[in-house]
Amino acid sequence: MDHYDCHTGGKRGFDDHMAQAKAAMEAGDRAMGVLMGEVGLKPRRPRARAGDGALAQHVKQLVINALEAKLGTRVTRADLWLQEGDYRGPKWDLDSWGVNAVVGTGNLLSCCSSLAPMGDYRRCKAVHLGHNDIHDYGLCYDISVPKERAKQ
């Protein structure tokens, strides 16, 4: 009942095809590296996926530290999300990025978000969590740069 069995020789044929494609891409990458070396150019370092870079991990840790200090309990899981502003329904949804964190014994979800770009938090040692009045429950926070950092 597998539609592609007739084209690939079953699962094994598909795996063989993928291995051949991967080997061809790696050979092409090596050839481009040699070519760029002969011309005197350095190959570009691949960019980290959005949300996986050093800045994103730094900001995520700042939010985790702020949540743990504010709530007095440990964050057991935190997920960073990124979003571009867009019109969603009856209002504009402009949050730029945020962290959803499971706090304590795993039954409280805290949602933190910021309108500022992550670059504004690059040199911060801590972030400020302000209460978000948009939601009717108390574990939503707006992330901002502390006042003393904003004055500099």
Side-chain angles (χ1 to χ4, degrees):
M1 296 299 290
D2 190 351
H3 175 72
Y4 294 102
D5 275 348
C6 57
H7 296 290
T8 62
K11 176 77 172 137
R12 184 170 165 246
F14 179 75
D15 290 342
D16 291 344
H17 177 69
M18 291 304 292
Q20 289 172 353
K22 186 176 179 181
M25 286 187 278
E26 289 171 355
D29 288 343
R30 283 192 302 274
M32 286 301 293
V34 169
L35 177 65
M36 291 181 84
E38 289 178 4
V39 182
L41 298 173
K42 290 183 181 179
R44 278 191 192 176
R45 203 175 60 172
R47 289 187 63 163
R49 270 188 26 223
D52 288 344
L55 177 60
Q57 295 308 311
H58 170 70
V59 171
K60 179 179 168 183
Q61 189 59 49
L62 289 176
V63 173
I64 290 171
N65 295 344
L67 271 173
E68 288 177 346
K70 188 170 197 79
L71 300 176
T73 185
R74 195 171 72 82
V75 171
T76 55
R77 179 180 174 194
D79 296 317
L80 177 78
W81 53 266
L82 306 170
Q83 165 186 318
E84 292 186 22
D86 199 3
Y87 185 75
R88 302 184 202 300
K91 62 181 179 177
W92 279 92
D93 187 3
L94 297 174
D95 286 340
S96 177
W97 61 273
V99 175
N100 292 339
V102 177
V103 182
T105 59
N107 57 0
L108 291 176
L109 177 66
S110 178
C111 305
C112 306
S113 61
S114 176
L115 293 172
M118 274 190 203
D120 290 358
Y121 298 87
R122 184 178 311 276
R123 290 181 181 82
C124 287
K125 302 270 190 266
V127 294
H128 176 72
L129 297 179
H131 187 67
N132 185 337
D133 293 329
I134 294 173
H135 300 287
D136 56 353
Y137 50 103
L139 289 175
C140 290
Y141 299 100
D142 289 325
I143 306 166
S144 61
V145 178
K147 297 286 184 200
E148 59 272 4
R149 178 72 189 149
K151 290 179 184 177
Q152 294 177 355

